[in-house]
């Protein structure tokens, strides 16, 4: 289902939208706020490995399969190998780090009344566990997370619970953005992403930041180039902060920022 059709039914609640803010930051979590995609990390180390994972991502980019189905297959390769949900959370707490500039970026946003919302195709319990470990419980609790969930059984086995199971995205991230478009005075929306899970959101932000990734796995950038979607490449959040500051202060227009092409 495309983001422009009838909104897919959500199996999970949404946090209240911010009706009185002038600027909103929405960001993918895995590989964007973090240094490495936690689901990729699990799949590469506990599941069927990097090569098959990349085949799945390329199939999504090529329109041969849906992100929902490819992602479920990735995670099933981990759970079917006997790795419990708690084991996965602990592995990721030990190995996943923040983007080097995110704490500074998040602090500036808090000080300037710009909400930061995580919009992820990952699972909220894992995101909360890793985020709290990296920024502390207090700061983590102040960041809304819109993500999928997990069904964890008494024996420790688990599977993903999709927010939008009827959508080919599993979690159609555009649905976290579009309600802001309907407000009488809609805010300026910044969206940060890096991969195939962000395709559903790519067309709907005022300013799209695409993270530059080592190793050539720049799937969102490839998608944007193919479909002519304007975006800004950024290496880390400290670089992106300068652009966001300039737009918020009125020192640079959105068109000027996007025309530069890189933060």
């Amino acid at each position: 289902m495309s983001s422009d059709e009838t909104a897919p039914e959500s199996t999970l609640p949404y946090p209240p939208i911010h009706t009185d803010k002038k600027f909103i930051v929405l960001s993918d979590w895995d590989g964007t706020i973090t240094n490495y995609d936690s689901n990729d990390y699990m799949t590469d180390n506990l599941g069927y490995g990097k090569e098959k994972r990349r085949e799945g991502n390329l199939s999504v980019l090529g329109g041969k399969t849906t992100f929902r189905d490819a992602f479920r297959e990735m995670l099933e390769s981990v759970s079917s190998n006997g790795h419990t949900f708690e084991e996965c959370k602990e592995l990721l707490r030990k190995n996943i780090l923040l983007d080097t500039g995110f704490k500074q970026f998040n602090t500036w946003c808090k000080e300037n009344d710009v909400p930061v919302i995580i919009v992820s195709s990952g699972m909220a319990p894992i995101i909360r566990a890793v985020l709290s470990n990296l920024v502390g419980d207090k700061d983590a609790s102040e960041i809304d997370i819109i993500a999928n969930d997990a069904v964890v059984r008494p024996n420790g086995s688990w599977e993903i619970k999709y927010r939008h199971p009827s959508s080919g995205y599993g979690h159609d991230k555009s649905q976290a953005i579009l309600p802001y478009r309907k407000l009488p005075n809609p805010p300026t929306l910044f969206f940060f992403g890096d991969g195939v899970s962000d395709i559903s959101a790519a067309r709907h932000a005022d300013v799209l930041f695409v993270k530059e990734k080592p190793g050539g796995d720049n799937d969102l950038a490839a998608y944007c180039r193919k479909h002519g979607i304007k975006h800004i490449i950024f290496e880390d959040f400290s670089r992106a902060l300068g652009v966001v500051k300039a737009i918020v202060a009125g020192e640079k227009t959105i068109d000027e920022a996007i025309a530069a092409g890189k933060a």
Side-chain angles (χ1 to χ4, degrees), residues 84-239:
T84 68
F85 199 67
E86 285 304 312
E87 180 187 348
C88 292
K89 282 202 293 187
E90 187 59 30
L91 175 77
L92 298 173
R93 275 195 291 256
K94 290 179 178 177
N95 291 282
I96 300 300
L97 303 174
L98 283 180
D99 172 284
T100 55
F102 181 73
K103 281 189 178 180
Q104 175 192 6
F105 181 92
N106 187 52
T107 297
W108 182 89
C109 286
K110 286 170 61 176
E111 292 172 349
N112 289 273
D113 199 29
V114 179
V116 174
I117 304 166
I118 293 172
V119 184
S120 172
S121 289
M123 295 165 284
I126 283 181
I127 297 169
R128 283 283 178 208
V130 176
L131 183 62
S132 295
N133 184 55
L134 294 174
V135 304
D137 291 337
K138 182 179 183 299
D139 283 349
S141 69
E142 294 173 352
I143 299 176
D144 285 332
I145 296 174
I146 303 172
N148 295 309
D149 206 343
V151 176
V152 184
R153 303 178 186 89
N155 66 357
S157 66
W158 56 277
E159 63 182 89
I160 191 168
K161 179 181 180 179
Y162 278 123
R163 177 174 287 273
H164 300 129
S166 66
S167 166
Y169 297 117
H171 174 195
D172 183 343
K173 294 185 179 184
S174 72
Q175 300 305 314
I177 297 176
L178 293 175
Y180 287 101
R181 295 287 184 217
K182 300 175 183 177
L183 294 175
N185 297 298
T188 296
L189 300 170
F190 302 98
F191 186 87
F192 292 78
D194 76 308
V196 292
S197 73
D198 302 307
I199 288 172
S200 60
R203 298 182 185 276
H204 299 286
D206 294 299
V207 185
L208 174 64
F209 287 89
V210 176
K211 193 164 194 182
E212 190 168 48
K213 306 296 286 294
D217 294 0
N218 299 316
D219 293 332
L220 182 58
Y223 178 84
C224 289
R225 288 193 297 269
K226 180 179 178 180
H227 294 277
I229 299 172
K230 295 179 179 179
H231 59 284
I232 300 171
I233 295 291
F234 77 108
E235 293 179 5
D236 60 55
F237 275 87
S238 64
R239 300 286 187 93

